[in-house]
């Protein structure tokens, strides 16, 4: 039985026929085939995809079980929640390319933190979240308990402590969807984030006594190794990388770590790979390392379905998601 295409998918299938447009179609079709064979998919989020409001489509992908794990930067983890509780106070700056130094300084004076064309309000977003998460950190610290960064946010979302501040429909928050599914999340380098800086400040002041109350990146890798080993024993795991950097580089290395460093035999390689990126390898951008280079590192195999979409992820990722969901 052939499923009728949704309107967005019909448009894309009819018009996206060549070059990066065709690569986008191929990658989405490959994702669907991977799932149809019983495979699972990890999505990695670099850049500022949460502030780009990728949650509008990603949340539904999570709810429809098209995504089974996420690796993201600390910024993407927190910025989905910033948008959830402070969206109405955000300001868009469409002429961001021509802002003068004086205009940038004026934004600073107003505590409007700019991410490309979008300004995040410090008081409504960052300090509002800090108040709630600090209480969770301190409670865990006092009880001698330790959790990963995303687990603290799951606890907050499930408690309802932020609900009075919601300013978008929670169905458009990928973190809300992830909490509902108890989705595995890996946040390498969480310390390099606004809330990571907040946490450091509260360790310095002594409000949080044990610096390890928030679990670390090495612990994320050891957890990921266990998760990958258990799941890959029965199903193939795919890897959809949005952008580059640590969000993608960290989790993809679990395979060579298991094989080369732990000397385990028959470690399954990633069963699908796609990267949306505009990085140019000849400029030294490791984030732009093409899939075939990953073969030499023991991450992918010669038979792995591999795709590269050389374009803007804020445009392409929602379209791939729409195709996978047949919207």
């Amino acid at each position: 039985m052939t499923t009728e295409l949704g309107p967005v998918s019909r448009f894309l299938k009819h018009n996206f026929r060549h070059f990066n447009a065709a690569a986008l179609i191929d990658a989405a079709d490959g994702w669907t085939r991977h799932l149809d064979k019983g495979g699972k998919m990890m999505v990695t989020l670099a850049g500022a995809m949460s502030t780009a409001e990728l949650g509008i489509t990603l949340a539904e992908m999570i709810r429809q079980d098209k995504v089974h794990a996420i690796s993201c930067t600390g910024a993407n983890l927190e910025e989905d929640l910033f948008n959830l509780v402070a969206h109405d106070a955000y300001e868009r700056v469409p002429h961001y390319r021509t802002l003068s130094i004086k205009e940038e300084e004026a934004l600073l004076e107003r505590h409007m933190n700019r991410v490309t064309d979008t300004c995040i309000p410090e008081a409504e977003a960052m300090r509002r979240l800090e108040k709630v998460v600090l209480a969770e950190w301190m409670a865990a610290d006092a009880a001698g308990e330790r959790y990963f960064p995303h687990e603290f946010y799951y606890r907050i979302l499930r408690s309802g402590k932020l609900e009075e501040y919601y300013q978008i429909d929670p169905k458009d928050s990928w973190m809300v969807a992830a909490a509902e599914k108890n989705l595995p999340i890996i946040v390498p380098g969480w310390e390099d984030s606004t809330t990571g800086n907040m946490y450091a400040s509260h360790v310095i002041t002594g409000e949080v006594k044990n610096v390890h109350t928030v679990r670390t990146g090495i612990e994320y890798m050891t957890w990921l190794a266990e998760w990958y080993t258990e799941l890959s024993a029965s199903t193939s795991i795919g890897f959809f990388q949005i952008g580059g950097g640590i969000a993608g580089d960290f989790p993809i290395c679990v395979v060579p770590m298991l094989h080369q460093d732990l000397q385990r035999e028959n470690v399954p390689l990633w069963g699908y790979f796609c990267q949306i990126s505009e990085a140019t390898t000849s400029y030294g951008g490791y984030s732009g390392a093409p899939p075939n280079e990953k073969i030499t590192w023991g991450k992918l195999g010669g038979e792995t379905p591999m795709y590269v979409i050389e374009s803007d992820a804020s445009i392409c990722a929602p379209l791939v998601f729409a195709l996978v969901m047949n919207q």
Side-chain angles (χ1 to χ4, degrees):
M1 180 178 176
T2 302
T3 303
E4 184 178 353
L5 295 176
V8 177
S9 295
R10 281 201 307 272
F11 175 87
L12 294 174
K13 291 274 189 174
H14 182 71
N15 290 280
F16 281 34
R17 301 187 181 196
H18 302 282
F19 316 140
N20 276 300
L24 186 152
I25 300 294
D26 293 342
D29 288 347
W31 187 328
T32 299
R33 285 192 297 271
H34 180 75
L35 296 183
D36 288 345
K37 293 177 182 177
K40 305 297 184 182
M41 188 66 71
M42 173 181 284
V43 170
T44 75
L45 304 176
M49 298 310 299
S50 289
T51 292
E53 297 191 75
L54 189 64
I56 294 170
T57 47
L58 180 56
E60 188 60 23
M61 287 283 284
I62 293 169
R63 292 190 175 99
Q64 290 190 22
D65 293 317
K66 308 293 188 184
V67 175
H68 306 92
I70 284 179
S71 173
C72 68
T73 58
N76 276 296
L77 188 75
E78 67 196 11
E79 286 177 17
D80 183 79
L81 297 183
F82 291 163
N83 183 59
L84 177 65
V85 302
H87 180 80
D88 294 349
Y90 276 52
E91 291 183 15
R92 185 162 178 264
V93 188
H95 61 290
Y96 66 94
R97 291 183 180 87
T98 60
L99 287 174
S100 67
I101 295 297
K102 290 294 184 183
E103 288 173 311
E104 302 279 22
E105 290 174 339
L107 290 172
L108 171 64
E109 290 173 4
R110 294 172 51 222
H111 300 277
M112 298 298 290
N113 300 266
R114 185 168 71 84
V115 180
T116 311
D117 72 344
T118 303
C119 294
I120 303 175
E122 179 183 334
E124 292 85 350
M126 298 163 185
R127 301 308 165 192
R128 185 170 286 170
L129 181 61
E130 180 184 23
K131 180 180 179 180
V132 177
V133 75
L134 175 58
E136 290 289 335
W137 290 335
M138 293 177 65
D141 191 58
E145 298 171 350
R146 304 176 61 240
Y147 300 101
F148 285 121
H150 76 279
E151 291 178 315
F152 277 107
Y153 292 133
Y154 279 2
R155 292 165 68 87
I156 289 168
L157 289 169
R158 290 165 182 161
S159 73
K161 293 177 181 177
L162 288 176
E163 287 184 3
E164 65 179 295
Y165 302 115
Y166 285 4
Q167 296 183 1
I168 64 168
D169 190 328
K171 75 178 180 62
D172 292 337
S173 163
W174 73 262
M175 276 293 292
V176 169
E180 291 169 356
K181 289 283 189 178
N182 200 30
L183 194 77
I185 299 181
I186 299 94
V187 193
W190 170 77
E191 296 82 359
D192 178 27
S193 67
T194 297
T195 45
N197 294 159
M198 292 173 182
Y199 182 74
S201 74
H202 293 295
V203 170
I204 292 169
T205 63
E207 293 164 282
V208 176
K209 304 289 189 288
N210 181 7
V211 69
H212 297 297
T213 293
V214 176
R215 298 178 67 184
T216 67
I218 294 299
E219 290 177 280
Y220 263 129
M221 180 56 83
T222 59
W223 182 93
L224 176 58
E226 183 179 350
W227 176 84
Y228 188 91
T229 299
E230 181 178 344
L231 188 58
S232 66
S234 59
T235 188
S236 177
I237 307 174
F239 198 96
F240 190 86
Q241 182 172 340
I242 298 176
I246 195 172
D249 297 343
F250 183 91
I252 204 169
C253 288
V254 71
V255 171
M257 188 271 285
L258 290 169
H259 180 232
Q260 299 171 17
D261 300 319
L262 284 172
Q263 297 290 297
R264 294 184 185 176
E265 299 295 330
N266 303 314
V267 177
L269 301 176
W270 295 96
Y272 164 104
F273 179 82
C274 178
Q275 180 174 6
I276 303 176
S277 176
E278 49 28 273
T280 304
T281 54
S282 62
Y283 296 161
Y286 174 71
S287 296
N292 57 328
E293 183 177 309
K294 290 175 171 60
I295 294 173
T296 71
W297 289 86
K299 301 168 184 176
L300 307 177
E303 302 302 315
T304 306
M306 294 178 276
Y307 311 91
V308 176
I309 306 169
E310 295 179 317
S311 191
D312 185 332
S314 68
I315 298 171
C316 292
L319 297 179
V320 172
F321 295 165
L323 283 163
V324 173
M325 292 186 288
N326 193 23
Q327 291 181 336

